[in-house]
Amino acid sequence: MPGHRPTRIDTLLAAGTFLAVAAAVATHGGTPAQLITGYCFAAAFGALPLLARRHPVPALLAAAVGVIAYYMLDLAPVGLAVHTAAVLYVAADQGRARAASLVAGALLASSIAARLAEGDDPSIVLGVDLGSQAALMVAVIALGDAVRSRRALRAELARQATAAAEERRAEAARQVEAERLRIAREVHDTLGHAVSVVTLQSAVAQEALAEGAPDDARAALAAIHAAGSGAMSELRATLGTLRRDTGPRHPDPGIGDLPALVDGVRRSGLPVDLRLEGDLQALPTVVGTTAYRVVQEALTNVLRHARASRAEVNVDATGARLHLDVVDDGDGPDPHGRLDEHGYGLRGMSERVTLLGGSVDVGPADTGGFRVHAELPLPAGAR
């Protein structure tokens, strides 16, 4: 829809109309009363284009009445088009081209009839004045309607472009949602099944194990069962996130869950020393979860690859950054194992920390073995 506030073009049209009528009044001359009246009409005709932007039909009617009154008072002859061209243009620009055409036609018909009745030469009235006045009125109405149509076309093209962009975003969201559900199904059908089998079979093995079985065998089975149960809990939570389930779900693990994580590793047969320093309860949730995942991945790698007899986990939140150290006394770096930069574990660990503006350093420990060191920035309120 066109705006209702007068534009710069409206102001120029108003000024041009006023100057044209005022110049004709001044040139024609007359008594002081006629001059004052003529200038007042010039000001009124000049104001009509500004009024037409908000009220096009009343402005057209006012122009028609004003033109009739102007010539009835026998003021300076100017021509119908000069009085009304500006208001006809603005009215057509506002979508009132039909009303502008009706008013223009009525004024032309009235003017011709009046001049013929007064005895003016029909050849001049019908052959010259009618053609020139009608052509100018038609031109300004057509121009105003063309400007309106072009503006409407631009608005429609912009609307279509916006709708197309919105449709593309919606389609992309639908594709992402479909892929999310596909991944959830694949994870559930493959990994979920495998973990469930491991957990179930470890429980069966615990029950079938003879009373005289070695304690370390029982401890290993208990650790397998506990790890499998924990993995299933986290797997269910992850699947719920992928499927956008709105029901209750387990909260993400954090620093407070590190003792339980370390106990699980100890039950697997690897002694682990855990040291926590600083106000760890004040850590942001995302920092605590990232720290937990880093320690979890590091200890998993120790169990898988290090052949270590002991490991240490140090968490220090006393400064401006959270420092994590996981050190073992195993075989040290293995270029074909833990340090493979294409491994998903180390890559995921690095990505998690980098997203928070931190850093990860992995490599040989000063005392032998392997060391994972991570730093995470802490907000001022968490120190």
Side-chain angles (χ1 to χ4, degrees), residues 101-166:
S101 300
L102 292 174
V103 169
L107 285 175
L108 283 173
S110 301
S111 174
I112 292 170
R115 293 181 63 184
L116 291 176
E118 291 175 357
D120 289 355
D121 186 352
S123 61
I124 296 178
V125 174
L126 298 176
V128 179
D129 292 348
L130 175 61
S132 60
Q133 298 295 321
L136 183 55
M137 286 182 169
V138 169
V140 296
I141 293 174
L143 178 61
D145 190 61
V147 170
R148 181 197 62 80
S149 299
R150 185 176 180 182
R151 183 171 55 245
L153 177 60
R154 287 199 303 266
E156 177 62 19
L157 292 176
R159 186 196 66 79
Q160 291 179 2
T162 301
E166 186 63 30

Side-chain angles (χ1 to χ4, degrees), residues 195 198-203 206 218-234 260-261 263-268 292 296:
V195 174
V198 170
T199 304
L200 179 61
Q201 293 301 322
S202 65
Q206 281 182 287
R218 292 180 178 278
L221 286 174
I224 293 173
H225 183 73
S229 298
M232 280 303 300
S233 297
E234 292 198 18
L261 174 64
D263 286 341
V265 176
R266 288 169 181 162
R267 286 196 298 271
S268 299
Y292 178 91
Q296 182 184 44

